[in-house]
Structures are given as structure tokens and as C-alpha cells.
Amino acid sequence: MKKITLLTSFLLLISFSLSVSNVKADTRQMEYLNRGLVAVKVTSGVYLSWRFLGTDNAATGFNIYRNNVKITTTPITATTNYTDASGTTTSVYKVLPVLNGVEDTVGVKNVTPWAAQYKSIQLKRPANGRTEPNKYGSTGKAATGSYPTGQPYGYSPNDCSVGDVDGDGEYEIIVKWDPSNSQDNSYYGITGKVYIDAYKLDGTFLWRVDLGKNIRAGAHYTQFLVYDFDGDGLAEVVCKTAPGTIDGKGNNVIMNSDDPTADYRSIDTTQITGSKMVGTILNGPEYLTLFDGKTGAELNTIAYNPPRGSLSNWGDTYGNRSDRFLACVAYLDGVHPSAVMCRGYYGRACLASYDVKDKKLVQHWFYDSGTTAGVGAYGQGNHNLSVADVDSDGKDEIVYASCVIDDNGTLLYRTGMGHGDAMHVSDMDLDNPGLEVYTVHEETAATYGYELHDAKTGTMLWGTFTGADNGRGMAGDIDSRYPGFEMWSSLGGGTYTCKGVLISSSKPSTNFRVYWDADLQDELLDGVRITKWTGSGSSTLLTGSGVSSCNSTKATPNISADLLGDWREEVILWETSDSSKIRIYTTTTPTTYRLFTLMHDPVYRLGIAWQNAAYNQPPHLGFYIGAGLANVTQPDIKMIKYSATQTEVKAPTANAAAIYASNGDLMINSTENIHSVSVYSVLGRLVYQNNNIQNQEFRSKLPENEHLFIVKIKTNSGVQTGKVMN
């Protein structure tokens, strides 16, 4: 009788499960944002700008208050900017949304005007350092000097990212500090350590992670992701770590019995080529760590997948190709964000996706191209990547330049065009349904040195053979006379339409795009200058004085994103006279267009998450706005707001493991070694047992003829039981 009751309950549960699985839950979870009001003192008074949210009703208007007195006679409905002719630097402003005559006062924040078009933020610059004595020079491919007492180095702010780590609806800035001796994989040289800091927009310092001596400094090693991965309203941080990493609470990030003081660097300064090239790190454990965004505390650390293994599997014997990392965030199920960590693209290419469950990283799928040329993603990656739902199934794909990895971790297609340095994804050709990819290629034998292809199928739309390494390429809607995007590259005759038609022998800067002035076309950002394409040349809109861009000749901003105000973007650069400061530049040009914040467009928001990866590329919208906003619809998203009544985030206890099933696999991630795993059917029958695991991670296929399982694991701390549904 008891068995019949259990079976009946089981069948009812399965029936319910199947009915739920047929319901398409396609509303993306995205971060809650406040109005992002910014005020700037201008000649004509005070310029105000604020956010229209992706979840706002189209009829929403806004009332403006100065010193708690309403200064607008009727709600502003056509724009999200306003110039107060009577405003002064001491005025205090707030903006209140109005719908059906009712003001919304939730989350309202008062602001005072910036004195200039930028705001400076004071950072905590790490102390200068000195390397071990270097007999054969500084850094590079040939000896250029001698440092018998070590090479001195200092720090400047490098790539940044943003996320709301404390749940107040305002972005915090996550800063990567780069030492002056940071180095490319193919060059020798010992580097200083890399640090990651978190700051509020008012300059409040939150935490610092010291990545330690076993993480080399350079564009290709530390790709860090800032995002709310588990949907609690607070952003986390994910990046590669190693023994020697210290979290934001001052604790060692370490696994098993690894030594936190170990030094895995090659420090024989007589070796400036080959597998023992000085400064490289080709031995020792590699980790992937989830950090609490609010405190910088380590939440969970797992082994980095894939491990470096044999260097020759990646295409050389000195670690140049094995230590090429990328990272991105993707909504692989269409609803929840996953972290995707990548290794390799010149030859072998591997991607692993991770979900955050119970504050732990649990691998979802793993893709490995293998080592055979011409197969899968082998040799098809760039120094950058992008994320978009290219096949319109509601789930994101990873655009790996000359190939695309589908949401389930399989290859969608490869173009065979090979590796390159720059790429762009958006709706560039309005006659071609869906999205397109514009990319340049490094291989001299590539059929096209620059080309535009369909993002869903890889079908070539147009391209040109160059027969040479085409190092840079740019795409943006810079000319309103032609529908769609324009595009150009380092090699090639000039500027082209999305159809490949030459429109000018001149080319604008080949770097970043940015929305800055009043129209719907892209402006161009290169170094510290923002320019406007005139049709045959460029005019300058802004030149930052006393500031610098990042990444040497790449001349990229610390970050460029829609961080404040309306849909136009902000640019962050660092101050040259004092590299402990960054500046946030914002536009003060009024516009008649109202568009929801770009951060609520999934393609754009995920572009901000991957912008810091390797050779930084600018973000793009996932839809076209150059012809007007009449057909633009609000995104299908759900903002996740942090509740102050929620339990504070704590590091997982030793006896807390994430146990769940995905795609027919049982997956377990524990904070200590798992001794054994026992899996039982719902009727108590033992269907699987493994008594000799001795690892913090475990994965195994579940029986296909069963649907509900009880899982029991044993660790040093005791026994933990969980229920999973296949």
C-alpha cells in the first residue's frame, strides 16, 4: 500500500514536471536600476538627464524638482533630459516618474550638479613594486636593458566593469589594476601582481582582491565577469585565480592541500625564449573563483576547466596559445545568466558554462574543439567574442568570431575564415533578417580579410580578400544617408555600406563607437577623443584633457557604457597626472529622442559584461535605431530587486554542496572533497554508487529510465542529502 502511494505521488510529480517544462518562461532576469539621474553645470544653467527603464510603461512622464520644489508644469514625456536655466552648482534635484497622474517616489535619489562634464573618482592605487633581478633586460622579445636589482613598476587603472553589488539600483565600478610591466603571452618578462577593486560612484572603496604572483598581468590572462548570476539582486564577480590569490576579506583562495605561498612563475632570467621563458606561468593549479560582489569574499572556488595540460595541444610549446582566455555572460536558457569561461582560439578552443547554484559554480556544459584543423571551433576564435540570440529561439549563443557555439554547448556553424583581432555583432543590414557579424581576419590565406556574414547561419554577405594580417575593423551606423551600418578596417579602400559599396576613400577612427550627440547615429571614440563622421572626414566633439586611455596602442577606454542618465553613453578614462583617479565623462547635449536605457537591451548589457575581455571591443545594441524609434518595443525583461530583508550573503559552510541535474547529468560542487556519492530512486532503490571520488566536483550520467532521485554525499563534515529531477 505504501509503495502504491509513493508511486502515485511520483507519477503526479512527473506529470506536473512535464506540464511545467512545456511552459516557455522567456522573461529574462535583469538587474534593477534606479533613474540614474545626473546633473551637470553648463553655461545655460544645469543639464539633467535620467533613465527610462526597459520595464516602464510607454505613457510614463517625469516631474523635475529643484530643492524640493517642482519646476516642470506638466510631466516630461518626450525626452529624458532637461535644462534648468535657473539651476546653480548648489541646487539639489530629483526626478519622479508619473503615470496616470500618480508620482512614484520609490528609490528616488537627490543629486547635486557636477561642476564639469566629468566626475573624478579617487581610487586606492596599489603600491609600486620591483621584480626579481632581471639580468637580460626589461620585457619584450629581445633584451633591452639590465635590472640587477629588479625592474621597478607602478600601477594605473585598466579595464573596468560595472554591476550593482549592494542592491541600491546604482552601478558600482569594478577596476582591474594593471602594472606598468604587464606583458603579452608571446613576450618574456616578470610582471607585477594584478588587483581587482570595487568602488561606489561616490568613490567609496568596497574591497580589493589580490590575484597573487601566479596570475600574470596582461590583456589575455584576467577576464573578469561582473553580473548577478543567481538572481538575488546583487552582482557577483567571477575570474581565474590561483594559489596566492587573496580575497576581499584577506583570506587565501586555496583548494585542497595546495600551498598558498607557492611560486609557479618561471624566474630564470637567462631564459627569454622557449618553454621556460622568464615570467610565464606554465605550471601549478589553476582555479575559477566566485566572489561576493558586496564584500569581495570568496564564495566558491573550483578547478579551472580546461586545465593547460600539454602545451603542444594548444599549438606551441611556450604557453602563448594555451594562455589565451576569454569570458562572457550568456542566458543559455533564455531566463538566467550563466558564466562562460573560454581558453584558446588560435587552434584548440574550449568553452565551459557555469551556473551559480547556492553560491557555488556548477558546470553546465563543456565544449572542446579538439586539436584537428578544419573541425569545429578549432582556429576560429578572435581576441574577443560576443553574445546574442542569433537563431531567435530565446536563448543566447556565443559568437566566437568565425564560429558560433549554440546555447547547448554544441557548434552551430563555422565559417572557416579563422582568427582575427576585431569583431562586431548587431542588426547591420536591414534587408537581411536578424543579426550580422562584421569581423576582420589575421590569416593571409583567408578568403576575406574583412567580411560581413549572417549571424545565424554564417552565410557570407560580402567581403574582400586582403592577403595580409588585417589588424583592426570597425562597424557602426555613422552615416544617416545610408540604411544600416557602415564598416571599415585597417586594410581596404575606405568606408563601406552594409552592402559592401564604397562610399568614401576616407576612413574614420577604427576603435570604439559611442552615442554622444543628439541624433541616433554612432559617434566614434578613439583614445581620449570623440569624433563625428561628416561623410568624408571627422569633426571633434570632445577631447579629454589630462586623461589617458588603456591598453597601449589599442587606446581603449577603461569602460564605455550607458552608466548614468539617458540612453547616451558615458566614457571612463584615467587621469595622467594622478593615476589613482578615474573620470566619468557624460554628454550634456540635449536630444529629442527617448529610448529605454541601453543596459536593458540584452545584447548591449552582455556586451558591457564582456567588454574587458582581451582586445576590448565596443558594445552594440541588438536592434537598429538609426532610422528612428517608432518601431522600437520595450524589452521582455524582469528586473530583480534586492530586498534589504534578505539574509546577508555568507560564504558557504563546509558541509554545503550544490547538488542538481542538468541535461541528464548529476552535478555536484562541494567546498571540500567528496568521499562518496549514492543515488537512489524515489522508491529507495540504489541506482548508482561511487565510494572513491576524493574531489570537490563530481559529474555522472543519470539513468534515463528514472526521473526523480535522492542523492546522498559524504564529506569530512558529514552527510548531505539532496533531491534532483532529471
Side-chain angles (χ1 to χ4, degrees):
M1 189 71 178
K2 183 178 179 181
K3 185 174 290 187
I4 294 174
T5 303
L6 281 171
L7 181 60
T8 303
S9 300
F10 173 68
L11 292 174
L12 286 172
L13 182 59
I14 295 304
S15 176
F16 175 74
S17 171
L18 292 173
S19 66
V20 170
S21 66
N22 290 329
V23 178
K24 189 171 184 289
D26 56 357
T27 301
R28 292 188 181 224
Q29 296 180 359
M30 296 188 76
E31 62 208 337
Y32 165 77
L33 294 175
N34 63 21
R35 292 297 162 184
L37 176 64
V38 61
V40 182
K41 184 68 182 76
V42 293
T43 305
S44 55
V46 171
Y47 175 81
L48 303 168
S49 179
W50 61 94
R51 290 188 183 109
F52 188 72
L53 302 173
T55 55
D56 278 336
N57 187 299
T60 301
F62 298 91
N63 288 335
I64 307 297
Y65 287 78
R66 182 202 325 121
N67 301 329
N68 284 322
V69 177
K70 188 167 67 171
I71 59 174
T72 47
T73 55
T74 58
I76 298 172
T77 57
T79 68
T80 45
N81 61 84
Y82 179 84
T83 301
D84 177 19
S86 301
T88 69
T89 55
T90 61
S91 299
V92 179
Y93 293 95
K94 63 182 177 182
V95 58
L96 298 182
V98 185
L99 183 62
N100 297 324
V102 179
E103 290 185 334
D104 182 3
T105 60
V106 176
V108 172
K109 183 177 180 180
N110 293 325
V111 303
T112 55
W114 299 358
Q117 198 172 359
Y118 62 83
K119 176 181 181 178
S120 289
I121 298 178
Q122 179 68 55
L123 309 178
K124 288 182 61 176
R125 183 178 56 201
N128 295 341
R130 185 178 292 270
T131 68
E132 286 75 4
N134 193 333
K135 180 179 178 181
Y136 284 98
S138 54
T139 52
K141 290 188 174 180
T144 58
S146 180
Y147 294 92
T149 61
Q151 179 193 12
Y153 59 88
Y155 284 90
S156 60
N158 193 250
D159 297 329
C160 296
S161 193
V162 296
D164 183 6
V165 304
D166 57 9
D168 63 355
E170 178 179 274
Y171 285 120
E172 279 71 51
I173 302 175
I174 313 301
V175 180
K176 182 180 80 170
W177 288 99
D178 208 33
S180 54
N181 59 358
S182 65
Q183 204 50 254
D184 188 89
N185 307 45
S186 61
Y187 291 170
Y188 80 87
I190 302 169
T191 75
K193 294 192 292 185
V194 177
Y195 300 91
I196 297 178
D197 288 0
Y199 300 87
K200 292 191 67 64
L201 291 180
D202 64 5
T204 300
F205 172 75
L206 298 178
W207 49 260
R208 167 168 293 167
V209 169
D210 175 352
L211 289 181
K213 65 178 68 174
N214 293 312
I215 296 293
R216 202 178 189 212
H220 303 288
Y221 308 100
T222 298
Q223 325 302 343
F224 61 102
L225 300 176
V226 182
Y227 217 81
D228 178 11
F229 288 103
D230 59 0
D232 66 353
L234 301 173
E236 294 83 32
V237 178
V238 176
C239 70
K240 187 173 182 282
T241 58
T245 297
I246 300 173
D247 75 3
K249 291 289 191 178
N251 299 316
N252 288 317
V253 173
I254 204 72
M255 290 185 67
N256 304 318
S257 59
D258 293 343
D259 181 1
T261 66
D263 189 346
Y264 295 104
R265 299 173 299 168
S266 297
I267 55 175
D268 181 351
T269 59
T270 66
Q271 303 290 326
I272 59 175
T273 60
S275 61
K276 296 182 180 180
M277 187 165 61
V278 61
T280 56
I281 303 166
L282 304 179
N283 296 288
E286 299 176 288
Y287 304 154
L288 182 67
T289 298
L290 174 72
F291 294 98
D292 176 22
K294 192 172 185 179
T295 66
E298 174 199 9
L299 294 175
N300 183 225
T301 295
I302 61 176
Y304 194 90
N305 192 26
R308 62 175 69 88
S310 173
L311 299 183
S312 60
N313 285 338
W314 301 96
D316 61 42
T317 59
Y318 64 104
N320 179 26
R321 285 164 169 74
S322 66
D323 278 18
R324 300 281 177 165
F325 300 97
L326 297 172
C328 63
V329 179
Y331 287 73
L332 301 172
D333 65 356
V335 179
H336 310 95
S338 299
V340 182
M341 310 304 294
C342 317
R343 186 173 204 153
Y345 37 72
Y346 285 116
R348 182 188 180 196
C350 296
L351 298 84
S353 74
Y354 297 89
D355 299 327
V356 174
K357 302 289 185 180
D358 301 321
K359 298 300 179 183
K360 296 180 182 66
L361 293 160
V362 182
Q363 184 175 301
H364 184 56
W365 53 249
F366 178 70
Y367 173 84
D368 187 345
S369 71
T371 58
T372 303
V375 176
Y378 184 94
Q380 299 302 294
N382 266 23
H383 290 300
N384 30 67
L385 76 179
S386 189
V387 177
D389 176 14
V390 302
D391 56 7
S392 302
D393 65 352
K395 305 173 185 178
D396 287 335
E397 284 71 44
I398 294 88
V399 184
Y400 217 57
S402 293
C403 66
V404 167
I405 305 301
D406 207 350
D407 56 81
N408 61 2
T410 62
L411 184 80
L412 188 62
Y413 67 81
R414 56 174 280 140
T415 69
M417 293 296 108
H419 168 72
D421 286 3
M423 65 172 293
H424 306 270
V425 177
S426 186
D427 187 4
M428 306 185 200
D429 183 345
L430 306 185
D431 295 327
N432 185 66
L435 305 176
E436 293 78 42
V437 180
Y438 177 73
T439 185
V440 298
H441 300 287
E442 189 171 297
E443 279 84 354
T444 59
T447 305
Y448 303 117
Y450 53 94
E451 46 88 1
L452 184 72
H453 65 262
D454 182 272
K456 179 180 180 179
T457 65
T459 302
M460 291 292 156
L461 301 177
W462 70 273
T464 301
F465 174 75
T466 60
D469 179 351
N470 196 8
R472 291 197 177 193
M474 178 61 198
D477 180 23
I478 61 171
D479 199 321
S480 62
R481 297 174 298 175
Y482 305 96
F485 277 31
E486 289 70 48
M487 43 209 71
W488 59 100
S489 68
S490 299
L491 299 179
T495 304
Y496 298 85
T497 69
C498 62
K499 303 295 187 183
V501 177
L502 182 68
I503 60 173
S504 175
S505 58
S506 297
K507 291 183 286 189
S509 60
T510 312
N511 202 342
F512 263 54
R513 51 138 306 278
V514 63
Y515 291 123
W516 193 259
D517 66 6
D519 63 30
L520 296 173
Q521 272 64 52
D522 290 298
E523 284 68 58
L524 297 164
L525 170 64
D526 186 25
V528 300
R529 295 176 66 239
I530 296 176
T531 58
K532 181 76 172 176
W533 172 250
T534 64
S536 59
S538 299
S539 60
T540 299
L541 301 181
L542 175 77
T543 300
S545 176
V547 289
S548 177
S549 56
C550 300
N551 300 312
S552 185
T553 59
K554 298 297 186 286
T556 53
N558 295 88
I559 189 172
S560 174
D562 181 12
L563 304 177
L564 296 163
D566 65 18
W567 56 274
R568 272 87 55 85
E569 293 163 285
E570 281 65 48
V571 174
I572 296 184
L573 302 164
W574 60 275
E575 295 192 8
T576 51
S577 62
D578 182 358
S579 60
S580 66
K581 291 181 180 179
I582 56 175
R583 289 184 190 173
I584 305 177
Y585 283 87
T586 191
T587 185
T588 56
T589 303
T591 181
T592 58
Y593 295 103
R594 184 171 86 163
L595 176 64
F596 58 83
T597 174
L598 308 189
M599 297 297 254
H600 278 169
D601 171 56
V603 172
Y604 183 91
R605 181 62 184 92
L606 298 180
I608 300 306
W610 56 244
Q611 188 181 135
N612 68 74
Y615 291 174
N616 304 15
Q617 295 292 281
H620 292 276
L621 286 169
F623 56 95
Y624 183 71
I625 66 171
L629 303 179
N631 295 320
V632 174
T633 59
Q634 294 289 90
D636 184 13
I637 62 171
K638 176 184 179 181
M639 290 198 302
I640 303 298
K641 187 175 182 180
Y642 172 71
S643 171
T645 60
Q646 291 175 206
T647 303
E648 283 295 310
V649 174
K650 297 180 180 179
T653 58
N655 191 32
I659 305 173
Y660 79 114
S662 180
N663 293 333
D665 286 353
L666 169 65
M667 291 181 282
I668 305 173
N669 179 7
S670 175
T671 51
E672 58 183 356
N673 274 352
I674 303 165
H675 300 320
S676 68
V677 172
S678 302
V679 181
Y680 300 87
S681 73
V682 70
L683 299 179
R685 180 173 58 89
L686 181 67
V687 296
Y688 174 86
Q689 189 165 22
N690 189 327
N691 295 318
N692 189 29
I693 298 171
Q694 302 307 319
N695 203 309
Q696 292 178 248
E697 299 171 71
F698 176 81
R699 185 167 186 157
S700 178
K701 281 289 183 185
L702 289 166
E704 295 182 0
N705 59 339
E706 303 275 357
H707 297 283
L708 186 65
F709 302 91
I710 305 300
V711 179
K712 183 172 71 173
I713 70 170
K714 289 184 180 179
T715 66
N716 285 340
S717 299
V719 175
Q720 181 178 341
T721 302
K723 181 172 63 177
V724 298
M725 184 178 294
N726 187 11

